[in-house]
Structures are given as structure tokens and as C-alpha cells.
Amino acid sequence: MDWMIALTFISQTIRISVPYTLAAIGGTFSERGGVVNIALEGILLNGAFTCVLATYYTGNPWVGVLAAMLGGLATALIHAVVTVTFKAEQIVSGLAINILAMGATRFLLKVIFGSSSNSDRIVGLPEWKIPLLKDIPVIETIFSSPLILATLVVIVASQFLLFKSVFGLRLRSVGEHPEAAESLGVNVSGMRYAGVALSGVLAGLGGAWLAMDQHSFTDGMSSGRGYIALAAMIVGKWNPLGAAGACLMFGAAESLQMQLQGRNVPTQFIQMIPYLATIVVLAGLIGRSIPPAADGVPYEKEKP
Amino acid sequence: MNDILRQLDRGQLVQKLSGAIAVPVIAVATALLAGAAFIAAIGQSPVVVYGILLRGTFGNFYGLGQVLFKATPLIFTGLSVALAFKAGLFNIGAEGQLYIGAFAVAWVGFTFSGVPGFLLVPLCILAGALGGALWGFIPGYLKARFGTHEVINTIMLNFIAMALTGYLVTYVYFVPETVHTQRIAAQAQIPRLEEFWPVFRGSPVNLSLFLALGAAVAVYLFLWKTKFGFELRATGSNPSAAEYGGISVGSAVITAMTLSGALSGLVGVDFVMGYKHYYEGGFSSGIGFMGIAVALLGRNHPLGVVLAALLFGALSYGGLVVNAIVPKELVDILQAIVILVVIAGTNVFGKLVLSLKKKSLG
């Protein structure tokens, strides 16, 4: 019996971690390139909404997944235009995009589905029943879901892309020292656009997970996950593997909180864990986590 | 050092003055145009909708009262964000600060129910300010002590505040079957304006409006007429110059964040003492974040903040007025567009003015 509970707990933790991980790795790309991305929350939300919309109209969940990535990309591009092209304050832009996403999805929910709380039901992604694997607990959770598999691929590929590829080197140089990168012929704006765009695609995919998991869109369904992803990115030290690890930790806390629900244990204190962890890590109390040097600093080409 | 700052000021004066008027006007106009497109897209007439919105808000005293009611907390959070901005700090924590402040107001209000009103009312107000101040002090201290950026910490503290007040209102101080605390003592409640001016009948606008306006005056006097305010602004415009000029940047940072938090905490006075008379979980619905928009649009000046709060107050009540024809979320969309145009426009507009100036100088 306890064995079963433990297995359920692990499976649940993995499932909860998926949207966090995708958004946190997205944020890592954005911030490694020097653009703070608080808009992750709005990107998740818009990703979920476009996913539901596309699936609803085509009846094909794969189209929905694609639409989620495009919806996330479009949202992220607003952030890129405002912050990279117009060099505006990145945090304010991110917040504004979150407000925009919240308002626009709610507005469209009412107009399209005539409801202020949720959309119609959509078909989900098919579950893969792989022989042999489908009988092993936990492994079965991972391999039956295309999006969980995709997340695993994203984690590994991102780590490689960021630290072992020319693209990653350029992206990081732009986030650490844009002037030097520019003088070596790196297109600073272009790289920053790429970083933000990647964050949009990945967080959009995270939104698709939310929509598919629930087979519908509900108002404000990102419910702070973008901010938790941001926290995971910091705790994971702006590093895809680290971010994924932090997401698993936060996912485990949330899973634990779910198990404790209804037992009159105050779950609020478990809810605080990710946020407290971030504050503690940032204060350098358990190892320093230092952001890219030019993170949040708009790049001005012509210095006076 | 004063001279250096003054010279800096003069160089930016033209740019700032023109930006102070033009950018907000352009931003609001753009948002209204974009809103018109949204309205037209769902098959309604923008002229009709905006007409109803205008008549429902400023067309009668009931509507005006509602607008003033919606504007009151926005003045507090707008001032809060603006004051931090002036010190070069970004307070995204207004949302958490106002939750802690409001809970503190309610707690004092129902715990000390035997205290006479002339004492209890100021005590409750003080509690709100102190609660918010504590929640602003933490990120200020962390920044001064460890150099950690206040933005992330204030975001995290928002969630911690929500969990903490959520815990208190669920497990410790609650009225069974509800999500709110017991009511505060009758003598701690502050009256609605309708008790003095019957024309506002039905509108929940209350005397805390004057507390908000008083806070605006106080913030103005503090920032521009006191030595401490000068030090805050100096820190905000150039921290290394300020440090060199003998200002303790660390204590300026802590002071600014603490005062900023106190202002946000005062939202509790409006909500608990003037409106609901108890603390209720999740009451804010983003007033803290809207404060950022208010401060931006008001150019971080108390007068601008009051005007911007009135505008957003009108929009947010106006959204309810037109909700039957157009989803009220249109207002959120307008708000977001205002912010994006203000921040993008300030930069572009500033450069435009500078280049024009250079041309005219030869």
C-alpha cells in the first residue's frame, strides 16, 4: 500500500513538473541572452489558450500543440519587440504582457465559448501504450505521454545547446557582455530575439501540457506557474539541468501538498517552499546564484 | 554634488517635461484605439460603448462615487510604486504588502474591540502601514545586505504573503463557512462619503479617499522638500554619485522600500475599515500590479499618480458598466497596452526630442 502511494507520488511529481520545467528552461534561454522574462506566466496562459482553440476547431490535438508553441512564440515576440527593439524596461514589459494575456484570454473565452470560467472540452493527446514499458510503474507515466518525453528531450538538448554549441556561446556572450560580443561580430539584437523566442516556444509548450492535461482551458489556469518557473530558473542557477532539478523539487512539494489535503494540515506552508527557497538562494545563504551580467540591461548600440 | 545633480536635471528637463505630457496622452489614445478595434471585432460600436462608459462613470454622482472608490486603493499602490521608483527601486511587491497590511488592520480592528474609536482608528491605520512596511522592509534589507535584486524578492514575497494570510484566514482567524475574519469593531469603521454628501448614495467611496490624497501630498513633500527625500532621489538617479556624495545608499534603499510598503499597506484601511469591515482572502484582484501602471502613467509624480489612478479607476468601473455588451476584461487589455506604449514610448520619444534638440542647436 505504501509502495503504491510512493509510486503515485513520483508519477504525480513528474506530471506537475512538466510545465514548470518547460517554462523555466525557456526563461533560462531568455535570461542567458540578457532579457529578463517575467512574461512566462502570460506565455503559459496564451499557450494553453491557443492550444485549446486550435484543438477545438481542428479536432486534432497535435495541431493544438503546434498552436500552443506558436501562441507562446507570438506572446514572447511582443516582449522582444518592446524590450530589445524599443529597449524598454524588461520587467514592466513582462508584467504588462501577463496582464494582457490574462485579459485577452478571459475576453476571448467569453466571446468564443460564452463562459467566464472555462472552454468547451477538447480531445487530448493519445496515450502511448508501449509494450513492456506500459507495465512498469513511473516509467509508464513517462513513456505514455508524448509531452513528458518531449520535456526530457528539451532538458538534454537545451543543456547541450546552451553550453556546447556555437549558438549557446553567442547567446551567453550577449547576456554577459554585449559590447564584447558585438565587437566580435555577434548580432546582439538577433541573439536576444532568439533567446526570447525560444522561451516563448518552450513556455507555450508548457501551456499545451496544462490544456491537454485538463482537456479544456480554464480562466487563469497558469495560476502562478510562470513565477514558480522563474524561481526554479534562479534556484537552478540559469542552467537547464539545474532548472529541471529545481522544478522536480518544487513539483514534489506540490505533490506532497496534494497528498496532505483534507488532513487538516496547513498546506500554505508547503506552498511557500519555492518562494522561500528562491529568496534564500538569491541571498547567497546556500551557495551563490549569479545571474548573467547583462541580464535586464537594454543594449544601446551607440553609446554617447 | 548638488551642482552635478542640478546639471543632470537641466539636461533632461526638456525631455522630461515633453515626455510627461505627450507619452501618457499617446499611450491612452493608442489603448483606446486598440480597444475600439476589439469592440468592433465583436460586432459592437466603439462610439456607443465608449459613450456608455463615459456616461456611466463621470455622468452622474453614483458613477463618480464608484470611480473614486476604485481610484482610492490605486492611489495608494501607485504612490507606493512611484516612491520606490524615485529611489531607483522596483517594487512589484505592492500586492503582498497590501494583503499583509489589510490583515493587520483587521486583526487590530477585531482584537482590540474595547478601545474607543478615537484611539482604535489611528491604531488600525498604523497597523496597516506597519504590516505593509514590514513586507517592504524585507526586500529592502535583502538588497542592502546581500545585494539581491528587489524584483525577484518582491515577487516571491507576494506569494508568501498570500499563503501566510491564506493560512491565517483559513486556520486561525476565521468565521466558519466563510473565507473572511470576524468584523472589526464598529468604532473602527470609517464612514462612507454618502453620509456627508447624499448625492453619492450607494457608492462605497469612503473617507479613506482623503487619506489617499493626504498620502499623495505627504509623498510630494517628503520627496521634494526634505533632506531624506533628496537623498532617496539622488540614490535613484545615480547611486554611485550619491554614495560618493556621502549618502548611505543602503539605508536609502531600506527606507524607500519600507515607506513604499507602508503606502501599499494602507490599502487595507480603504478595504477593511471603509468597505467590507472584515479581512477577506483574495480581495485585491491585482490592485498592487495596477499600481505599477498608475505610477508609470503618472510619471512617478504624486499629482500624476492621482490623475492616473482616477483614469484607471474610471476604466475599471467603466468595464463593469459596459460588461453586458463587451466583456469587462477589455479594461485589462487597455491597461496592458497603456503600460507597453508608455515604456516603449518613453525611450523612443526621449531620443526623438534629443535628436530634434541636437538639430536645432546646429
Side-chain angles (χ1 to χ4, degrees):
Chain A
M1 191 59 207
D2 287 346
W3 174 237
M4 280 302 290
I5 292 176
L7 287 179
T8 317
F9 175 77
I10 296 171
S11 293
Q12 199 177 30
T13 300
I14 293 171
R15 298 175 67 85
I16 292 173
S17 309
V18 168
Y20 292 158
T21 307
L22 290 168
I25 292 179
T28 303
F29 278 112
S30 178
E31 301 217 351
R32 281 285 181 173
V35 181
V36 171
N37 199 345
I38 289 177
L40 289 176
E41 179 76 9
I43 298 176
L44 275 172
L45 198 60
N46 275 352
F49 191 79
T50 44
C51 176
V52 167
L53 215 54
T55 312
Y56 178 75
Y57 282 117
T58 63
N60 184 339
W62 295 107
V63 177
V65 171
L66 187 69
M69 293 195 276
L70 291 176
L73 176 66
T75 314
L77 284 180
I78 302 177
H79 189 51
V81 169
V82 173
T83 60
V84 181
T85 302
F86 289 108
K87 307 186 192 318
E89 173 61 60
Q90 299 173 355
I91 293 148
V92 188
S93 166
L95 281 173
I97 287 169
N98 291 344
I99 296 171
L100 184 66
M102 191 69 122
T105 51
R106 209 179 271 173
F107 184 91
L108 293 172
L109 193 63
K110 279 188 187 168
V111 172
I112 296 171
F113 295 100
S115 155
S116 57
S117 60
N118 59 280
S119 72
D120 293 2
R121 204 179 153 76
I122 53 160
V123 290
L125 286 172
E127 282 204 0
W128 286 339
K129 299 274 182 221
I130 299 169
L132 292 176
L133 293 180
K134 74 176 174 10
D135 298 321
I136 312 170
V138 178
I139 300 288
E140 171 265 338
T141 309
I142 295 171
F143 285 90
S144 68
S145 159
L147 288 185
I148 294 183
L149 276 177
T151 306
L152 286 177
V153 172
V154 164
I155 296 170
V156 176
S158 299
Q159 189 73 16
F160 178 82
L161 191 61
L162 200 51
F163 294 106
K164 300 278 181 245
S165 75
V166 177
F167 169 81
L169 183 68
R170 286 187 179 154
L171 185 70
R172 286 183 292 129
S173 73
V174 157
E176 291 292 345
H177 204 313
E179 290 82 7
E182 173 99 34
S183 71
L184 293 172
V186 177
N187 178 351
V188 173
S189 294
M191 287 313 290
R192 289 195 162 178
Y193 259 90
V196 178
L198 266 173
S199 79
V201 172
L202 292 178
L205 192 61
W209 167 272
L210 294 178
M212 290 300 177
D213 199 40
Q214 205 176 285
H215 293 276
S216 67
F217 179 87
T218 46
D219 178 31
M221 72 188 300
S222 52
S223 58
R225 285 187 178 84
Y227 295 107
I228 296 223
L230 206 67
M233 175 194 75
I234 294 166
V235 173
K237 306 190 176 182
W238 285 269
N239 187 326
L241 273 179
C247 289
L248 265 183
M249 227 164 63
F250 293 168
E254 200 177 317
S255 183
L256 181 71
Q257 176 201 321
M258 284 174 163
Q259 308 259 339
L260 292 176
Q261 237 151 34
R263 296 193 194 181
N264 214 25
V265 179
T267 54
Q268 283 88 356
F269 292 104
I270 299 169
Q271 275 169 12
M272 290 181 196
I273 291 173
Y275 311 117
L276 283 173
T278 308
I279 291 177
V280 169
V281 167
L282 271 180
L285 300 178
I286 46 164
R288 210 99 173 84
S289 180
I290 300 160
D295 200 10
V297 186
Y299 178 62
E300 299 281 349
K301 209 170 191 173
E302 65 280 63
K303 280 267 157 76
Chain B
M1 196 201 64
N2 274 356
D3 289 341
I4 299 173
L5 281 175
R6 263 190 217 121
Q7 268 176 0
L8 259 175
D9 274 355
R10 207 170 299 150
Q12 295 169 343
L13 194 66
V14 183
Q15 185 186 340
K16 271 191 177 159
L17 267 184
S18 41
I21 314 284
V23 171
V25 170
I26 295 170
V28 173
T30 313
L32 289 178
L33 272 177
F38 268 93
I39 297 169
I42 60 167
Q44 298 291 342
S45 155
V47 179
V48 172
V49 172
Y50 283 146
I52 296 174
L53 196 148
L54 198 63
R55 260 174 285 132
T57 49
F58 293 111
N60 57 70
F61 274 99
Y62 172 76
L64 182 65
Q66 292 281 7
V67 169
L68 292 174
F69 172 67
K70 294 275 183 193
T72 306
L74 293 178
I75 297 177
F76 285 125
T77 56
L79 288 173
S80 166
V81 176
L83 185 124
F85 255 136
K86 277 290 172 194
L89 296 161
F90 204 166
N91 182 13
I92 308 194
E95 191 78 1
Q97 291 146 13
L98 67 88
Y99 273 109
I100 299 288
F103 193 87
V105 170
W107 183 79
V108 171
F110 63 70
T111 304
F112 302 97
S113 53
V115 176
F118 72 91
L119 258 177
L120 192 54
V121 167
L123 269 181
C124 284
I125 296 176
L126 194 66
L130 282 178
L134 168 72
W135 228 242
F137 167 82
I138 300 171
Y141 174 79
L142 289 170
K143 170 137 190 162
R145 173 77 175 73
F146 299 106
T148 48
H149 205 289
E150 73 281 3
V151 164
I152 300 294
N153 280 335
T154 48
I155 292 176
M156 300 301 139
L157 281 164
N158 283 341
F159 289 102
I160 296 173
M162 275 177 235
L164 186 65
T165 50
Y167 164 74
L168 290 172
V169 84
T170 321
Y171 290 95
V172 192
Y173 304 102
F174 63 100
V175 176
E177 315 292 318
T178 68
V179 282
H180 57 74
T181 63
Q182 63 189 95
R183 298 175 80 83
I184 59 170
Q187 71 273 20
Q189 299 172 4
I190 53 178
R192 293 185 174 190
L193 289 199
E194 63 180 357
E195 294 184 23
F196 310 97
W197 293 294
V199 285
F200 286 119
R201 191 172 305 284
S203 318
V205 59
N206 57 73
L207 285 187
S208 58
L209 172 66
F210 295 103
L211 183 69
L213 295 175
V217 175
V219 168
Y220 173 77
L221 292 177
F222 170 74
L223 280 176
W224 277 278
K225 303 291 170 198
T226 67
K227 177 170 162 283
F228 229 52
F230 170 78
E231 292 185 355
L232 285 196
R233 288 186 294 124
T235 305
S237 57
N238 190 342
S240 28
E243 188 90 63
Y244 183 71
I247 293 170
S248 163
V249 170
S251 68
V253 162
I254 294 178
T255 311
M257 281 307 288
T258 308
L259 288 176
S260 173
L263 285 164
S264 285
L266 288 175
V267 169
V269 175
D270 172 44
F271 183 80
V272 177
M273 297 167 76
Y275 180 47
K276 286 277 188 177
H277 305 142
Y278 50 70
Y279 174 87
E280 184 176 47
F283 73 87
S284 156
S285 63
I287 290 165
F289 297 115
M290 247 200 231
I292 297 164
V294 169
L296 276 174
L297 193 65
R299 315 304 290 180
N300 302 320
H301 189 285
L303 179 64
V305 165
V306 171
L307 293 176
L310 273 178
L311 177 77
F312 280 120
L315 278 179
S316 107
Y317 179 64
L320 298 177
V321 173
V322 299
N323 196 24
I325 329 170
V326 181
K328 63 175 190 299
E329 284 69 27
L330 180 70
V331 171
D332 298 325
I333 299 173
L334 297 186
Q335 191 196 334
I337 295 172
V338 167
I339 302 176
L340 290 173
V341 177
V342 167
I343 56 170
T346 304
N347 216 323
V348 174
F349 194 81
K351 279 203 192 111
L352 200 71
V353 171
L354 270 186
S355 70
L356 286 178
K357 237 172 60 182
K358 265 184 205 153
K359 262 184 205 155
S360 67
L361 287 174

